[in-house]
């Protein structure tokens, strides 16, 4: 019986059943390895995106807390010099600017993580399919 270390030319001498068995074993191994690669790649993307997503959450919390406490303070301070409506408008604009800066920084961090798709895994799966096609066609000759 032929061994794994034989060259592709020797595969032509193998019985078809043995070639099919070897191909099935190799494909099974490849699938398991691709799944592990996808898991590792997605975990890495998650670690990269986590700070940016946390910043979105932080922006929301800060916006709500600031909207309550600082709005009242700013409106009272500005109302000493301006009509109340103008004081409220200025306070709201300042808070909106702070929230905007936090959101933009969060978007940058999430964008740094890239697409939420295991790109490396997709490429290696394509290579594996080509390898399997080549191996299967060389075994048929």
């Amino acid at each position: 019986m032929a061994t794994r270390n034989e060259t592709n030319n020797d595969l032509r001498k193998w019985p078809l059943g043995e070639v099919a068995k070897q191909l099935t074993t190799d494909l099974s191994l490849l699938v398991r390895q691709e799944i592990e690669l996808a898991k590792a790649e997605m975990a890495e993307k998650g670690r990269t995106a986590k700070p940016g997503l946390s910043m979105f959450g932080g922006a929301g919390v800060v916006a709500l807390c600031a909207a309550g406490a600082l709005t009242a303070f700013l409106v009272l301070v500005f109302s000493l010099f301006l009509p109340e409506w103008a004081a409220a408008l200025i306070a709201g604009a300042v808070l909106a600017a702070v929230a905007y800066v936090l959101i933009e920084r969060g978007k940058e961090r999430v964008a740094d993580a890239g697409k939420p798709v295991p790109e490396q895994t997709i490429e290696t799966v394509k290579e594996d399919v080509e390898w399997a096609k080549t191996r299967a066609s060389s075994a048929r000759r």
Side-chain angles (χ1 to χ4, degrees):
M1 202 36 68
T3 65
R4 276 183 170 253
N5 295 329
E6 292 181 353
T7 64
N8 282 341
N9 290 335
D10 293 334
L11 285 177
R12 292 184 199 142
K13 298 175 185 174
W14 286 20
L16 186 59
E18 186 63 31
V19 171
K21 178 182 174 187
Q22 186 65 42
L23 184 59
T24 303
T25 303
D26 290 346
L27 287 175
S28 175
L29 176 64
L30 278 174
V31 168
R32 284 194 304 273
Q33 289 174 338
E34 294 300 345
I35 290 171
E36 289 303 314
L37 177 61
K39 286 180 187 178
E41 190 175 349
M42 293 307 291
E44 178 62 31
K45 285 181 180 276
R47 282 190 294 274
T48 303
K50 187 177 178 180
L53 295 173
S54 297
M55 286 182 183
F56 278 128
V61 170
V62 168
L64 289 175
C65 293
L70 292 179
T71 302
F73 171 75
L74 291 174
V75 169
L76 292 173
V77 169
F78 291 148
S79 68
L80 297 174
F81 309 105
L82 302 166
E84 287 80 16
W85 67 267
L89 179 63
I90 291 170
V94 168
L95 292 172
V98 170
Y100 177 78
V101 169
L102 287 172
I103 286 173
E104 287 301 311
R105 287 189 181 173
K107 282 197 310 190
E108 289 172 9
R109 293 295 295 264
V110 171
D112 288 344
K115 298 177 197 172
V117 174
E119 295 164 352
Q120 274 184 302
T121 303
I122 291 170
E123 286 303 314
T124 57
V125 166
K126 288 177 183 177
E127 292 171 8
D128 294 344
V129 167
E130 287 303 314
W131 172 84
K133 286 179 184 177
T134 303
R135 184 145 183 199
S137 67
S138 69
R140 282 187 240 166
R141 292 182 197 168

